[in-house]
Amino acid sequence: MALTKNQRRQRIKNRIRKVVSGTEARPRLTVFRSNKEIYAQIVDDVNGTTISAASSRDKDIISSAKGTKTEVATLVGKTIAEKALKAGVETITFDRGGYLYHGRVKSLAEGAREAGLKF
């Protein structure tokens, strides 16, 4: 029996998480994408803490977001990068969460790079 789309993504996500983990010096930028929204978190896996988070549901993004979902994802990437730089994080590892590096996930990563994060 074939896997569903969510089962396939979960399997890929687990395979990625075996390799990618965040430390205090180099935390992990994780992405969750729903049909309408996109969420990003910067996580320190050693201590089990979330350093910063941003999503397309944040009030500052909702007020300035007039465009496609990929344009909103770019804004979320810029916002998460600004919050991370305020928290003292410059370099990260990118966890695409089992999604293809294409479309909204790619635009979020490019927005974070434009704002100054290195990965």
Side-chain angles (χ1 to χ4, degrees):
M1 186 169 160
L3 296 174
T4 65
K5 188 184 282 188
N6 285 332
Q7 289 172 334
R8 182 179 178 279
R9 188 185 75 79
Q10 193 65 40
R11 184 177 282 183
I12 294 168
K13 180 180 176 183
N14 291 336
R15 190 170 60 228
I16 291 170
R17 287 287 288 123
K18 288 179 190 174
V19 178
V20 176
S21 67
T23 62
E24 193 169 340
R26 191 174 170 130
R28 174 174 58 99
L29 172 62
T30 182
V31 176
F32 176 73
R33 182 192 62 155
S34 71
N35 286 337
K36 286 185 175 183
E37 312 291 344
I38 191 158
Y39 305 87
Q41 291 183 16
I42 295 184
V43 179
D44 176 9
D45 290 317
V46 175
N47 297 325
T49 58
T50 299
I51 297 168
S52 63
S55 74
S56 56
R57 297 180 58 119
D58 291 347
K59 291 184 180 183
D60 56 339
I61 294 177
I62 290 173
S63 63
S64 64
K66 302 285 188 243
T68 63
K69 291 190 269 189
T70 55
E71 293 168 352
V72 171
T74 304
L75 287 174
V76 171
K78 290 179 181 177
T79 304
I80 192 75
E82 291 168 4
K83 288 182 179 181
L85 292 173
K86 279 185 187 173
V89 175
E90 292 182 5
T91 59
I92 57 161
T93 58
F94 187 68
D95 178 11
R96 58 189 173 90
Y99 302 108
L100 293 177
Y101 187 77
H102 179 75
R104 290 191 280 162
V105 175
K106 183 177 179 180
S107 65
L108 186 140
E110 289 173 351
R113 280 191 184 105
E114 286 175 17
L117 280 182
K118 296 179 186 126
F119 55 99

